[in-house]
Amino acid sequence: SFKDFPHPALFFALDVVQQFGSQFFFMAVSFNFIVQVRNLVSEKQYKLRDAMKQIGMMDSAYWTSWLISSLVTNTISTLLFIIMGSIAQFPFFLINDFLAYFIHFWLTMFAFTCSAFFVSSLVSNERTAINIGLFFFILFFLAGSIAASIFYGSASALTNEYAYDWVRVLFMAIPGCAAPFGFFQGFEQLVTASSSIGAVGMRIGEISNNVFQSKIMQDGSVESPFWSLATTWLWMIGNSAYCLVLAIYFDNALPNSYGRSEGKFFCLKKEFWFGKKKEERRNATEDRTDLQRHIEESMSDTVKKEAERIIDQTWNEDEAPAVQVLGMEIFFSSRSCCGALKMVKAVQGITYGIDNNSVFVLLGHNGAGKTTLISMISGHLAPSEGRILFEQQDITRLSVEQW
């Protein structure tokens, strides 16, 4: 029979979180970033967001709903990390204060969410968004912990950490970078407090302690750069805030899926803050003889007759068409193979009306401009020329939200 050979007791002092935790938990906290970027951009690419705007959704409601759903997801994910770590009996979760690592994980995921909002405002293609998210993840997975250790952590003692104050601030100030760098810095500090022999962990009251040691310089002076876990958290909160501001700015300043933007200085316009006031209802007839130039001999008799009806306004005040399209035109720019810029007219001076309680059908061959015309009427595209009246009110320059 087999018997155990006498041997001294074996002890393994491997701390899994200390050895592999930074990369593992970074994958966990950054996973939602890639998913959120992809979902935000896909809504933009497939014009789902524009469809929601069409039925009355405001930008504030859109961003608020995304923010709330992301916060709920982040909170649940953070609690699951903690539960799994506690079940595995990792000292990281048993010795450190609960609030210390809960706040750190939660703030990291919140900063990643705000970074996802920022990236989504710059990208309009789903595949491009996924590639950017993967590149961001791979870059910081491979180099994030090393850089954080050199400039914020234990490896800083091997370098002149006193000369890197501006580098530490720069890493935290770049939009979207506070999340990965802040995570690795805080994680290393929490691991250091809980993984050494006789470690007592980090208390929530110790988050303001300096991670750097004082150093006596050659001239006898004492220098000590300052950085703490609380500093990291403040930078993550600040970075998240201006990522949100940048996301809202670029979302309005850059062209949407229809090519329409609010302009670079939209935030300086009164209409952005208080909304655009609709014009008063017009009951009196107006001179529309200038629209006669759009009537051509090649037009069918039905189209000519409809245009003349709208131009002459041959109706009583209570019989005016609900929708009046007056000389609508739109040009799109394109470049030839030689780089020359040319203007293509997609809709050419169309004039017609849609009466109350009627069914109107717009017919035309492929490429005739039907979809473009409807996009101008609905506010997705701004016409180059012409006007749109709805119930005798000019709605030509109103965006979808102002409808």
Side-chain angles (χ1 to χ4, degrees):
S1 62
F2 294 96
K3 295 182 179 180
D4 288 335
F5 189 81
H7 61 80
L10 299 178
F11 296 96
F12 295 93
L14 176 64
D15 191 322
V16 177
V17 175
Q18 184 181 27
Q19 295 294 324
F20 313 106
S22 59
Q23 281 73 23
F24 175 81
F25 283 104
F26 178 76
M27 287 191 293
V29 298
S30 62
F31 176 77
N32 282 344
F33 167 76
I34 301 175
V35 175
Q36 288 163 352
V37 170
R38 180 261 175 193
N39 290 341
L40 283 162
V41 175
S42 65
E43 285 186 353
K44 183 192 301 186
Q45 179 179 352
Y46 299 113
K47 300 180 180 179
L48 300 177
R49 180 179 173 187
D50 296 300
M52 289 186 285
K53 284 185 177 182
Q54 193 69 57
I55 60 176
M57 185 194 69
M58 300 180 64
D59 275 344
S60 58
Y62 176 79
W63 289 112
T64 301
S65 62
W66 257 107
L67 188 60
I68 292 175
S69 63
S70 298
L71 293 180
V72 172
T73 302
N74 294 346
T75 303
I76 295 174
S77 300
T78 301
L79 292 175
L80 287 177
F81 300 157
I82 296 172
I83 292 172
M84 289 187 295
S86 300
I87 292 174
Q89 296 291 295
F90 293 142
F92 180 93
F93 297 97
L94 301 178
I95 300 178
N96 292 314
D97 271 4
F98 170 81
L99 279 179
Y101 51 76
F102 174 82
I103 293 175
H104 187 67
F105 282 136
W106 191 92
L107 274 181
T108 300
M109 299 190 73
F110 175 70
F112 270 119
T113 294
C114 297
S115 301
F117 292 169
F118 169 63
V119 173
S120 69
S121 68
L122 302 175
V123 183
S124 57
N125 183 273
E126 180 182 357
R127 184 174 295 275
T128 303
I130 294 175
N131 291 337
I132 291 176
L134 290 174
F135 172 79
F136 191 84
F137 165 75
I138 294 172
L139 175 65
F140 287 103
F141 179 81
L142 297 176
S145 61
I146 299 174
S149 180
I150 291 175
F151 297 109
Y152 301 96
S154 58
S156 61
L158 305 177
T159 63
N160 185 5
E161 68 268 24
Y162 306 92
Y164 291 133
D165 287 342
W166 65 272
V167 177
R168 284 186 282 272
V169 172
L170 177 64
F171 283 165
M172 292 293 181
I174 298 174
C177 289
F181 284 120
F183 167 77
F184 284 117
Q185 187 280 323
F187 190 85
E188 180 177 348
Q189 191 172 350
L190 289 167
V191 167
T192 302
S194 60
S195 298
S196 59
I197 299 176
V200 295
M202 175 177 286
R203 309 279 76 83
I204 191 65
E206 299 172 352
I207 61 173
S208 298
N209 293 351
N210 192 1
V211 299
F212 297 114
Q213 301 296 325
S214 300
K215 184 177 181 179
I216 301 177
M217 309 304 290
Q218 293 181 352
D219 58 358
S221 61
V222 178
E223 292 189 8
S224 178
F226 181 83
W227 200 273
S228 66
L229 183 58
T231 307
T232 296
W233 289 356
L234 289 175
W235 270 107
M236 292 170 76
I237 294 172
N239 193 289
S240 301
Y242 66 76
C243 274
L244 286 175
V245 172
L246 290 175
I248 295 173
Y249 174 79
F250 287 116
D251 184 62
N252 287 273
L254 297 179
N256 61 10
S257 55
Y258 288 92
R260 182 169 185 170
S261 70
E262 300 297 331
K264 297 179 180 178
F265 304 103
F266 69 92
C267 53
L268 302 179
K269 299 177 182 178
K270 182 174 66 176
E271 291 82 1
F272 174 74
W273 301 101
F274 303 103
K276 185 175 181 180
K277 184 179 180 180
K278 292 185 178 181
E279 296 187 5
E280 297 294 330
R281 182 185 177 113
R282 302 178 182 182
N283 293 320
T285 59
E286 57 184 359
D287 184 13
R288 298 178 179 176
T289 55
D290 62 313
L291 298 179
Q292 293 283 353
R293 59 190 171 88
H294 296 300
I295 300 179
E296 300 178 355
E297 293 297 328
S298 59
M299 292 181 176
S300 66
D301 293 338
T302 304
V303 175
K304 286 183 182 179
K305 184 178 179 180
E306 175 63 14
E308 290 171 351
R309 180 178 79 97
I310 300 302
I311 294 173
D312 298 336
Q313 305 166 75
T314 54
W315 56 69
N316 297 325
E317 288 186 0
D318 58 345
E319 298 177 348
V323 178
Q324 299 178 52
V325 179
L326 309 175
M328 293 294 292
E329 290 187 344
I330 189 169
F331 297 87
F332 293 112
S333 60
S334 64
R335 292 189 179 274
S336 65
C337 58
C338 301
L341 182 66
K342 63 177 182 179
M343 304 301 292
V344 178
K345 184 179 291 187
V347 176
Q348 181 174 350
I350 188 170
T351 300
Y352 67 89
I354 304 176
D355 295 323
N356 281 305
N357 302 317
S358 65
V359 177
F360 183 86
V361 180
L362 188 65
L363 299 177
H365 57 78
N366 291 342
K370 303 182 296 297
T371 302
T372 303
L373 179 61
I374 296 300
S375 296
M376 288 191 289
I377 295 175
S378 60
H380 290 300
L381 292 176
S384 303
E385 185 179 333
R387 291 183 297 141
I388 307 166
L389 300 184
F390 176 72
E391 297 291 347
Q392 298 296 91
Q393 296 179 358
D394 192 338
I395 61 171
T396 309
R397 299 298 169 181
L398 296 183
S399 62
V400 176
E401 297 89 341
Q402 295 167 334
W403 260 74

